[in-house]
């Protein structure tokens, strides 16, 4: 079919550091906390373990403990995971912080401001149109597709929306991979509002 895109490009959303936590401090009422370098605290009581992820208020430095495991049997934990808690393995810190269950249990949200980037291939505007772009998420950064697309294309949001076709809701934040098609700017098939919302 002539309408099939000739070129498929990959964009990747990736974190550049850990996000902050929007979490109310019990001392100063600030709403921002950080995992800093990333530390766990492990407390063994017989064969039972408590594991916490430590976070610190960015305003007053008060430290709080977020429960990761509570009275868990040592045998129920994978030895590699257990070693990771003792050595403050950065990947384990990231995976626990980004686990939605932890956020739900402790009632915080993640603040991704300035903590991620969009990686796009260098200069591709000489490609044959239309171009299909597949967006993948290496980390669960919630982004509004319309803003991400405009940023990646280097266009205003309105101009970007005129140039693309896409099947997902564009103003609702997502961290699930999606694809869209970019048409040439003079392409007669492109009309404002061509983007289908489901
Ligand atoms: Zn504080």
């Amino acid at each position: 079919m002539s309408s099939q895109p000739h070129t498929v490009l990959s964009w990747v959303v990736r974190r550049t550091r850990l996000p902050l936590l929007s979490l109310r401090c019990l001392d100063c009422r600030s709403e921002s906390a950080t995992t800093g370098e990333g530390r766990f605290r492990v407390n063994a009581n017989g064969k039972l373990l408590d594991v916490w992820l430590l976070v610190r208020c960015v305003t007053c430095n008060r430290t709080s403990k977020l429960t990761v495991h509570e009275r868990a049997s040592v045998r129920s934990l994978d030895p590699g995971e257990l070693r990771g808690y003792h050595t403050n393995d950065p990947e384990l810190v990231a995976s626990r912080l980004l686990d939605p269950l932890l956020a739900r249990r402790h009632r915080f949200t993640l603040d991704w401001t300035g903590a991620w980037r969009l990686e796009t291939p260098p200069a591709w505007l000489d490609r044959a149109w239309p171009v299909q772009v597949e967006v993948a998420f290496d980390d669960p950064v919630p982004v509004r597709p319309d803003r991400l697309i405009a940023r990646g294309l280097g266009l205003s949001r309105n101009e970007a929306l005129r140039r693309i076709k896409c099947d997902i809701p564009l103003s609702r934040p997502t961290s699930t991979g999606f694809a869209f098609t970019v048409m040439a700017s003079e392409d007669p098939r492109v009309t404002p509002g061509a983007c289908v919302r489901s």
Side-chain angles (χ1 to χ4, degrees), residues 113-156:
T113 309
W116 61 280
R117 65 167 176 255
L118 173 65
E119 294 178 358
T120 61
W124 51 277
L125 292 171
D126 55 346
R127 309 271 184 160
W129 304 99
V131 170
Q132 176 160 12
V133 178
E134 292 179 349
V135 183
F137 288 75
D138 259 21
D139 294 280
V141 184
V143 294
R144 273 181 54 155
D146 54 353
R147 291 184 183 157
L148 187 82
I149 292 168
R151 176 166 159 174
L153 296 177
L155 299 172
S156 73

Side-chain angles (χ1 to χ4, degrees), residues 52-107:
W52 298 277
L53 177 63
L54 303 186
V55 299
R56 163 171 68 71
C57 170
V58 297
T59 305
C60 74
N61 281 331
R62 181 189 204 275
T63 300
S64 314
K65 298 187 297 185
L66 306 182
T67 305
V68 176
H69 291 289
E70 191 170 21
R71 298 180 64 76
S73 128
V74 176
R75 278 200 222 146
S76 71
L77 297 181
D78 172 79
E81 182 184 352
L82 190 53
R83 197 162 45 243
Y85 291 131
H86 282 292
T87 58
N88 301 312
D89 174 31
E91 284 305 312
L92 193 56
V93 170
S95 104
R96 290 301 168 267
L97 177 65
L98 304 186
D99 181 351
L101 284 177
L102 189 77
R104 212 171 303 148
R105 188 188 300 153
H106 293 280
R107 296 192 175 83

Side-chain angles (χ1 to χ4, degrees), residues 23-32 56-63:
L23 179 67
R24 171 73 60 89
C25 174
L26 295 178
D27 279 351
C28 77
R29 316 305 284 173
S30 154
E31 302 224 358
S32 192
R56 163 171 68 71
C57 170
V58 297
T59 305
C60 74
N61 281 331
R62 181 189 204 275
T63 300

